[in-house]
Amino acid sequence: NAGVMQNPRHLVRRRGQEARLRCSPMKGHSHVYWYRQLPEEGLKFMVYLQKENIIDESGMPKERFSAEFPKEGPSILRIQQVVRGDSAAYFCASSPPSEGETQYFGPGTRLLVL
Amino acid sequence: GDSVTQMEGPVTLSEEAFLTINCTYTATGYPSLFWYVQYPGEGLQLLLKATKADDKGSNKGFEATYRKETTSFHLEKGSVQVSDSAVYFCALLYSGGYQKVTFGTGTKLQVIP
């Protein structure tokens, strides 16, 4: 059973460009979560999605950030018009359908904005 | 709101030393508690977990006990190895419909030969 997969592992963007981060959950997992880790800090929750639904986006910045988890295909975290402060590691996690289940994390995408 | 507090690092130990990393939490209700480990340049791996009071989670020689009375979940290992060098995160998760994991800030462990 493959783990949570994220790509790309590293992404370099210039200010003003768009960044698209992809996450494929573990097989059988229908819940996806995105977290952001700023340098030397812990992970902060951004958004929680189920297939075709955003359940909780209380940790998402109100502008430029969006997330989706379509019926088919990976979950996408999209950052428009990136700024230097967006440079961070973005981690995706997935869990089975039951509430309160352990979340399993992917290897992360390290975004660098020049 | 919920929070997790970990001892600040870095913690530097010699190989075969005893390890304790303190973790306390603040939460309304009865969360599940976790320790995750992050090796350099990698994602988080689940190390161990406990879902109710007095449960002990254990894995790879590490263990932690869910102490409701002291709201703590300290991580211990009797004899650390160089390969244990990593950042350790304490975390909590509710089972009542709130699916976001709340993390501590992490404690960096360096084990020297």
Side-chain angles (χ1 to χ4, degrees):
Chain A
N1 186 6
V4 178
M5 296 171 65
Q6 290 187 248
N7 65 82
R9 294 289 305 274
H10 299 274
L11 182 61
V12 179
R13 285 286 178 267
R14 296 191 181 281
R15 281 178 296 170
Q17 292 184 319
E18 179 180 285
R20 276 183 185 245
L21 288 62
R22 285 176 289 277
C23 168
S24 296
M26 286 177 71
K27 188 176 180 182
H29 288 191
S30 57
H31 296 195
V32 165
Y33 316 81
W34 287 93
Y35 293 82
R36 177 164 65 176
Q37 183 181 32
L38 294 170
E40 306 298 322
E41 293 187 16
L43 279 73
K44 296 285 195 283
F45 169 81
M46 299 180 74
V47 62
Y48 161 36
L49 309 105
Q50 296 176 18
K51 284 283 187 183
E52 299 184 282
N53 284 307
I54 297 174
I55 307 301
D56 181 352
E57 56 182 348
S58 58
M60 286 271 274
K62 294 286 182 270
E63 297 178 353
R64 302 187 297 106
F65 284 72
S66 62
E68 62 177 11
F69 188 17
K71 189 176 178 183
E72 301 290 338
S75 175
I76 306 285
L77 179 67
R78 184 179 175 214
I79 312 172
Q80 295 177 288
Q81 299 174 325
V82 295
V83 301
R84 288 217 174 107
D86 297 333
S87 295
Y90 292 83
F91 290 95
C92 170
S94 72
S95 71
S98 302
E99 287 185 354
E101 288 287 343
T102 301
Q103 295 180 18
Y104 294 87
F105 284 77
T109 294
R110 281 153 180 82
L111 172 65
L112 176 63
V113 180
L114 301 177
Chain B
D2 305 333
S3 66
V4 176
T5 302
Q6 289 180 237
M7 61 188 289
E8 288 197 20
V11 173
T12 303
L13 294 173
S14 298
E15 208 165 19
E16 299 183 2
F18 184 86
L19 168 71
T20 300
I21 300 179
N22 290 339
C23 170
T24 57
Y25 67 91
T26 302
T28 53
Y30 305 100
S32 296
L33 300 174
F34 304 83
W35 278 100
Y36 285 89
V37 57
Q38 185 179 32
Y39 297 100
E42 298 186 12
L44 274 71
Q45 298 177 24
L46 177 66
L47 182 59
L48 53 84
K49 69 176 184 179
T51 57
K52 59 183 188 299
D54 300 324
D55 266 4
K56 178 187 280 189
S58 61
N59 185 26
K60 298 181 182 178
F62 291 90
E63 56 183 37
T65 301
Y66 190 144
R67 302 279 187 211
K68 183 164 159 256
E69 62 277 10
T70 55
T71 61
S72 65
F73 193 55
H74 304 322
L75 182 69
E76 296 181 337
K77 186 176 184 183
S79 175
V80 294
Q81 306 300 314
V82 172
S83 58
D84 293 327
S85 298
V87 180
Y88 292 81
F89 291 94
C90 185
L92 67 81
L93 171 66
Y94 276 113
S95 59
Y98 301 93
Q99 295 294 96
K100 60 186 82 169
V101 177
T102 299
F103 286 90
T105 52
T107 302
K108 185 174 183 178
L109 170 66
Q110 288 179 303
V111 180
I112 53 179

